[in-house]
């Protein structure tokens, strides 16, 4: 069950990484039809050199992403969003979303984390699926309380955090690979130690990122 939950969480994140392009009328039509579940907006930001000079008009929305269900994400290409002849402002966004009561949140610019996995928490929590993060934490606790056969706990700790996919790999490979019969035990071998696990976690994170981008691009062509 934990494995299925985390795989579903990974799918949520992958689809959110590759939203399909839409227009403002598309967004407004989806709102009126009740298809929108979450809206993420980005306001105009101060200029890096002249902080008091806004790049856009006050209250101007410069980026808009929304979900129509957990696996369908759309966005308006970041930049000036026009509402007829005028720019699309936060006041207009609030007026558009108020009748549906949809959740509206501002995009938070964060530096990517290389030391711990954030994917089970950010997008799932945005969609109200906190149980995906809880499944990841529970898997971590199971790992810390067990005696793994493939790698020691320090190696798995690195794979859980930096490696991003460690929790999923742990549930597939420990305490025995899923493809083993119930009565078959893995052959005793030297376990992967912490230092090697750290190096493997860096490689795993790069592979995971590439797979996520490729899969997201593919799903964006398949999903509506």
């Amino acid at each position: 069950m934990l494995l299925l939950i985390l795989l579903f969480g990974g799918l949520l994140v992958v689809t959110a990484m590759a939203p399909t392009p839409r227009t403002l009328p598309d967004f407004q039509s989806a709102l009126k039809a009740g298809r929108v579940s979450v809206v993420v907006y980005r306001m105009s930001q101060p200029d890096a050199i002249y902080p008091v000079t806004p790049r856009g008009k006050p209250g101007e929305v410069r980026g808009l992403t929304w979900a129509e269900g957990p696996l369908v994400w759309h966005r308006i290409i970041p930049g000036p969003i026009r509402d007829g002849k005028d720019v699309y402002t936060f006041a207009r966004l609030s007026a558009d979303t108020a009748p549906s009561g949809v959740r509206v949140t501002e995009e938070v610019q964060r530096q990517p984390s290389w030391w711990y996995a954030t994917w089970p928490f950010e997008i799932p929590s945005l969609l109200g699926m906190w149980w995906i993060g809880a499944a990841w934490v529970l898997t971590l606790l199971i790992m810390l309380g067990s005696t793994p056969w493939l790698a020691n706990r320090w190696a798995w700790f690195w794979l859980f955090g930096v490696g991003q996919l460690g929790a999923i790999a742990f549930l597939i490979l420990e305490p025995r690979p899923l493809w083993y019969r119930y009565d078959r035990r893995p052959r005793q071998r030297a376990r992967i130690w912490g230092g090697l696990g750290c190096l493997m976690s860096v490689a795993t994170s790069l592979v995971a990122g590439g797979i996520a981008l490729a899969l997201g691009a593919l799903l964006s062509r398949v999903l509506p």
Side-chain angles (χ1 to χ4, degrees):
M1 181 60 73
L2 289 175
L3 178 59
L4 293 177
I5 291 174
L6 292 180
L7 287 174
F8 179 68
L11 185 60
L12 289 181
V13 174
V14 166
T15 54
M17 289 174 60
T20 53
R22 291 291 188 271
T23 63
L24 182 60
D26 292 331
F27 170 66
Q28 293 169 328
S29 297
L31 276 174
K32 292 178 181 178
R35 298 196 306 268
V36 178
S37 52
V38 175
V39 177
V40 181
Y41 67 92
R42 179 162 58 86
M43 302 295 293
S44 57
Q45 298 295 325
D47 190 274
I49 300 177
Y50 303 103
V52 297
T53 304
R55 288 179 178 166
K57 295 182 180 180
E60 179 183 347
V61 176
R62 303 280 293 189
L64 198 59
T65 305
W66 69 95
E68 297 182 16
L71 299 178
V72 180
W73 288 81
H74 304 302
R75 72 164 181 169
I76 299 174
I77 296 176
I81 300 175
R82 309 298 299 185
D83 184 16
K85 295 182 179 180
D86 298 323
V87 295
Y88 193 63
T89 63
F90 178 73
R92 183 58 191 274
L93 173 63
S94 299
D96 285 344
T97 55
S100 62
V102 65
R103 180 180 180 183
V104 180
T105 183
E106 186 172 6
E107 179 181 335
V108 178
Q109 297 289 339
R110 293 190 179 95
Q111 292 294 329
S113 170
W114 291 95
W115 298 103
Y116 59 93
T118 59
W119 66 265
F121 306 99
E122 292 184 352
I123 297 299
S125 297
L126 189 64
L127 295 168
M129 299 181 180
W130 55 268
W131 37 271
I132 294 175
W136 188 92
V137 172
L138 180 57
T139 304
L140 176 63
L141 294 176
I142 292 173
M143 182 275 291
L144 293 175
S146 66
T147 304
W149 74 273
L150 180 62
N152 65 24
R153 285 188 289 268
W154 267 117
W156 276 118
F157 182 81
W158 285 110
L159 290 167
F160 266 63
V162 178
Q164 304 296 321
L165 299 180
I168 293 175
F170 178 84
L171 293 172
I172 293 175
L173 298 172
E174 300 283 2
R176 60 180 176 276
L178 284 181
W179 54 88
Y180 277 28
R181 294 186 311 179
Y182 182 79
D183 57 348
R184 181 183 175 186
R185 293 292 177 181
R187 185 173 55 185
Q188 291 294 328
R189 46 161 293 169
R191 294 189 297 171
I192 298 171
W193 52 286
L196 180 57
C198 179
L199 295 176
M200 291 176 62
S201 68
V202 175
T204 303
S205 67
L206 296 175
V207 172
I211 292 175
L213 290 174
L215 187 57
L218 176 62
L219 290 175
S220 67
R221 296 175 180 271
V222 176
L223 296 174

Coordinates of all heavy atoms in Angstrom, one line a residue, residues 111-152:
Q111 N 14.6 27.6 -3.6 CA 15.8 26.9 -4.2 C 15.6 25.4 -4.1 O 15.1 24.9 -3.1 CB 17.1 27.3 -3.4 CG 17.5 28.8 -3.6 CD 17.9 29.1 -5.0 OE1 18.4 28.3 -5.8 NE2 17.6 30.4 -5.4
P112 N 15.9 24.7 -5.2 CA 15.8 23.3 -5.2 C 16.6 22.7 -4.1 O 17.7 23.1 -3.8 CB 16.3 22.8 -6.6 CG 16.2 24.0 -7.4 CD 16.4 25.2 -6.5
S113 N 16.0 21.7 -3.4 CA 16.7 21.1 -2.3 C 17.5 19.8 -2.8 O 16.9 19.0 -3.4 CB 15.7 20.6 -1.2 OG 16.3 19.8 -0.2
W114 N 18.8 19.8 -2.4 CA 19.6 18.6 -2.7 C 19.8 17.7 -1.5 O 20.4 16.7 -1.7 CB 20.9 19.1 -3.3 CG 20.8 19.8 -4.6 CD1 20.8 21.1 -4.9 CD2 20.8 19.1 -5.9 NE1 20.7 21.3 -6.2 CE2 20.7 20.1 -6.9 CE3 20.9 17.8 -6.3 CZ2 20.6 19.8 -8.2 CZ3 20.8 17.5 -7.6 CH2 20.7 18.5 -8.6
W115 N 19.3 18.1 -0.4 CA 19.6 17.4 0.8 C 18.4 16.6 1.4 O 18.6 15.7 2.2 CB 20.1 18.3 1.9 CG 21.3 19.0 1.5 CD1 21.5 20.3 1.1 CD2 22.6 18.4 1.5 NE1 22.8 20.6 0.7 CE2 23.5 19.4 1.0 CE3 23.2 17.2 1.8 CZ2 24.9 19.2 0.8 CZ3 24.5 16.9 1.6 CH2 25.4 18.0 1.1
Y116 N 17.2 16.9 0.9 CA 16.1 16.1 1.4 C 15.0 16.2 0.3 O 14.9 17.1 -0.5 CB 15.5 16.7 2.7 CG 15.1 18.1 2.7 CD1 13.8 18.4 2.4 CD2 16.0 19.1 2.9 CE1 13.4 19.8 2.4 CE2 15.6 20.5 2.9 CZ 14.3 20.8 2.6 OH 13.9 22.1 2.6
A117 N 14.2 15.1 0.3 CA 13.1 15.0 -0.7 C 11.9 15.9 -0.3 O 11.4 15.8 0.8 CB 12.7 13.6 -0.8
T118 N 11.6 16.8 -1.2 CA 10.4 17.7 -1.0 C 9.2 17.2 -1.8 O 8.1 17.7 -1.5 CB 10.7 19.1 -1.3 OG1 11.1 19.2 -2.7 CG2 11.9 19.6 -0.4
W119 N 9.4 16.4 -2.8 CA 8.3 16.0 -3.7 C 7.1 15.4 -3.0 O 6.0 15.6 -3.4 CB 8.8 15.2 -4.8 CG 9.3 13.8 -4.4 CD1 10.6 13.5 -4.2 CD2 8.5 12.6 -4.3 NE1 10.7 12.1 -3.9 CE2 9.4 11.6 -3.9 CE3 7.1 12.3 -4.4 CZ2 9.0 10.3 -3.7 CZ3 6.7 11.0 -4.1 CH2 7.6 10.0 -3.8
P120 N 7.3 14.6 -1.9 CA 6.1 14.0 -1.3 C 5.2 15.0 -0.5 O 4.1 14.6 -0.1 CB 6.7 12.9 -0.3 CG 8.1 12.8 -0.7 CD 8.5 14.1 -1.2
F121 N 5.7 16.2 -0.4 CA 5.0 17.2 0.5 C 4.4 18.4 -0.2 O 3.3 18.8 0.1 CB 6.0 17.7 1.6 CG 6.6 16.5 2.4 CD1 7.9 16.1 2.1 CD2 5.9 15.9 3.4 CE1 8.5 15.1 2.8 CE2 6.5 14.9 4.1 CZ 7.8 14.4 3.8
E122 N 5.2 18.9 -1.2 CA 4.7 20.2 -1.7 C 3.5 20.1 -2.6 O 2.4 20.7 -2.3 CB 5.9 20.9 -2.5 CG 7.1 21.3 -1.6 CD 8.1 22.0 -2.4 OE1 8.1 22.0 -3.6 OE2 9.1 22.5 -1.7
I123 N 3.6 19.4 -3.7 CA 2.4 19.3 -4.6 C 1.3 18.5 -4.0 O 0.1 19.0 -4.0 CB 2.8 18.7 -6.0 CG1 3.9 19.6 -6.7 CG2 1.6 18.5 -6.9 CD1 3.3 21.0 -7.0
P124 N 1.6 17.4 -3.4 CA 0.4 16.7 -2.7 C -0.3 17.5 -1.6 O -1.5 17.5 -1.6 CB 1.1 15.4 -2.1 CG 2.3 15.2 -3.0 CD 2.8 16.6 -3.3
S125 N 0.5 18.3 -0.9 CA -0.2 19.1 0.2 C -1.0 20.2 -0.5 O -2.1 20.5 0.0 CB 0.9 19.7 1.1 OG 1.6 18.7 1.8
L126 N -0.5 20.7 -1.6 CA -1.3 21.7 -2.3 C -2.7 21.2 -2.7 O -3.7 21.9 -2.8 CB -0.5 22.2 -3.5 CG -1.0 23.4 -4.3 CD1 -1.0 24.7 -3.4 CD2 -0.2 23.6 -5.5
L127 N -2.7 19.9 -3.1 CA -3.9 19.3 -3.5 C -4.7 18.6 -2.3 O -5.7 18.0 -2.5 CB -3.6 18.2 -4.5 CG -3.0 18.7 -5.8 CD1 -2.5 17.5 -6.6 CD2 -4.1 19.4 -6.7
G128 N -4.2 18.9 -1.1 CA -4.9 18.3 0.1 C -4.6 16.9 0.3 O -5.3 16.2 1.1
M129 N -3.6 16.3 -0.3 CA -3.3 14.9 -0.2 C -2.1 14.7 0.7 O -1.0 14.2 0.4 CB -3.0 14.3 -1.6 CG -4.2 14.3 -2.5 SD -3.8 13.6 -4.1 CE -5.4 13.9 -5.0
W130 N -2.3 15.1 2.0 CA -1.2 15.1 3.0 C -0.8 13.7 3.3 O 0.4 13.4 3.8 CB -1.7 15.7 4.3 CG -2.9 15.1 4.8 CD1 -4.2 15.5 4.6 CD2 -3.0 14.0 5.6 NE1 -5.1 14.7 5.2 CE2 -4.4 13.7 5.9 CE3 -2.1 13.1 6.2 CZ2 -4.9 12.7 6.6 CZ3 -2.6 12.1 7.0 CH2 -3.9 11.9 7.2
W131 N -1.6 12.7 3.0 CA -1.3 11.3 3.3 C -0.1 10.8 2.5 O 0.5 9.8 2.8 CB -2.5 10.4 3.2 CG -3.4 10.8 2.0 CD1 -4.5 11.7 2.0 CD2 -3.3 10.3 0.7 NE1 -5.1 11.8 0.8 CE2 -4.4 10.9 -0.1 CE3 -2.5 9.4 0.0 CZ2 -4.6 10.7 -1.4 CZ3 -2.7 9.1 -1.3 CH2 -3.7 9.8 -2.0
I132 N 0.2 11.4 1.4 CA 1.3 11.0 0.6 C 2.6 11.3 1.4 O 3.5 10.5 1.5 CB 1.3 11.7 -0.8 CG1 0.1 11.2 -1.6 CG2 2.7 11.4 -1.5 CD1 0.0 11.9 -2.9
G133 N 2.7 12.5 1.9 CA 3.9 12.9 2.8 C 3.9 12.0 4.0 O 5.0 11.6 4.4
A134 N 2.8 11.6 4.6 CA 2.7 10.8 5.7 C 3.3 9.4 5.4 O 4.0 8.7 6.2 CB 1.3 10.7 6.3
A135 N 2.9 8.9 4.2 CA 3.4 7.6 3.7 C 4.9 7.6 3.6 O 5.6 6.6 3.9 CB 2.8 7.2 2.4
W136 N 5.5 8.7 3.1 CA 7.0 8.8 3.0 C 7.6 8.8 4.3 O 8.6 8.1 4.6 CB 7.3 10.1 2.2 CG 8.8 10.2 1.9 CD1 9.4 9.9 0.7 CD2 9.8 10.8 2.7 NE1 10.7 10.1 0.8 CE2 11.0 10.7 2.0 CE3 9.8 11.4 4.0 CZ2 12.2 11.2 2.5 CZ3 11.0 11.8 4.5 CH2 12.2 11.7 3.7
V137 N 7.1 9.6 5.3 CA 7.6 9.6 6.6 C 7.5 8.2 7.3 O 8.5 7.8 7.9 CB 6.9 10.6 7.5 CG1 7.3 10.6 9.0 CG2 7.2 12.1 7.0
L138 N 6.4 7.5 7.1 CA 6.3 6.2 7.7 C 7.3 5.2 7.1 O 7.9 4.4 7.8 CB 4.8 5.7 7.4 CG 4.5 4.3 8.0 CD1 4.8 4.2 9.5 CD2 3.1 3.9 7.6
T139 N 7.5 5.3 5.8 CA 8.5 4.5 5.1 C 9.9 4.8 5.7 O 10.7 3.8 5.9 CB 8.5 4.7 3.6 OG1 7.2 4.5 3.1 CG2 9.5 3.8 2.9
L140 N 10.2 6.0 5.9 CA 11.5 6.4 6.5 C 11.7 5.8 7.9 O 12.7 5.2 8.3 CB 11.6 7.9 6.6 CG 12.9 8.5 7.3 CD1 14.1 8.1 6.5 CD2 12.8 10.0 7.5
L141 N 10.6 5.8 8.7 CA 10.6 5.2 10.1 C 10.8 3.7 10.0 O 11.5 3.1 10.8 CB 9.4 5.6 10.8 CG 9.2 7.1 11.2 CD1 7.9 7.3 11.8 CD2 10.3 7.6 12.0
I142 N 10.2 3.1 9.0 CA 10.3 1.6 8.9 C 11.8 1.3 8.5 O 12.3 0.4 9.1 CB 9.4 1.1 7.8 CG1 7.9 1.2 8.2 CG2 9.7 -0.3 7.4 CD1 6.9 0.9 7.2
M143 N 12.4 2.1 7.6 CA 13.8 1.9 7.3 C 14.7 2.0 8.5 O 15.6 1.2 8.7 CB 14.2 2.9 6.2 CG 15.6 2.7 5.6 SD 16.8 3.6 6.6 CE 16.5 5.3 6.2
L144 N 14.5 3.1 9.3 CA 15.3 3.4 10.4 C 15.2 2.3 11.5 O 16.2 2.0 12.2 CB 15.0 4.7 11.0 CG 15.3 5.9 10.1 CD1 14.8 7.2 10.8 CD2 16.8 6.0 9.9
G145 N 14.0 1.6 11.5 CA 13.8 0.6 12.5 C 14.1 -0.8 12.0 O 13.9 -1.8 12.8
S146 N 14.6 -1.0 10.8 CA 14.8 -2.3 10.2 C 16.3 -2.5 10.1 O 17.2 -1.7 10.4 CB 14.1 -2.4 8.9 OG 14.7 -1.5 8.0
T147 N 16.6 -3.7 9.6 CA 18.0 -4.1 9.3 C 18.0 -4.5 7.8 O 17.8 -5.6 7.5 CB 18.5 -5.3 10.1 OG1 18.4 -4.9 11.5 CG2 20.0 -5.6 9.8
P148 N 18.2 -3.5 6.9 CA 18.1 -3.8 5.5 C 19.3 -4.8 5.0 O 20.3 -4.8 5.6 CB 18.3 -2.4 4.8 CG 18.0 -1.4 5.9 CD 18.5 -2.1 7.2
W149 N 19.0 -5.5 4.0 CA 20.0 -6.5 3.5 C 20.8 -5.9 2.3 O 22.0 -6.2 2.2 CB 19.3 -7.7 3.0 CG 18.6 -7.6 1.7 CD1 17.3 -7.2 1.5 CD2 19.1 -7.8 0.4 NE1 17.0 -7.1 0.1 CE2 18.1 -7.5 -0.6 CE3 20.4 -8.3 -0.1 CZ2 18.3 -7.7 -2.0 CZ3 20.5 -8.4 -1.5 CH2 19.5 -8.1 -2.4
L150 N 20.3 -5.0 1.6 CA 21.0 -4.4 0.4 C 22.0 -3.3 0.8 O 23.1 -3.3 0.2 CB 20.0 -3.9 -0.6 CG 20.6 -3.3 -1.9 CD1 21.3 -4.4 -2.7 CD2 19.4 -2.7 -2.8
A151 N 21.6 -2.5 1.7 CA 22.4 -1.3 2.0 C 22.2 -1.1 3.5 O 21.1 -1.4 4.1 CB 22.1 -0.1 1.2
N152 N 23.2 -0.4 4.2 CA 23.0 -0.1 5.6 C 22.1 1.1 5.7 O 21.7 1.8 4.7 CB 24.3 0.1 6.3 CG 25.1 1.3 5.8 OD1 24.6 2.2 5.2 ND2 26.4 1.2 6.0

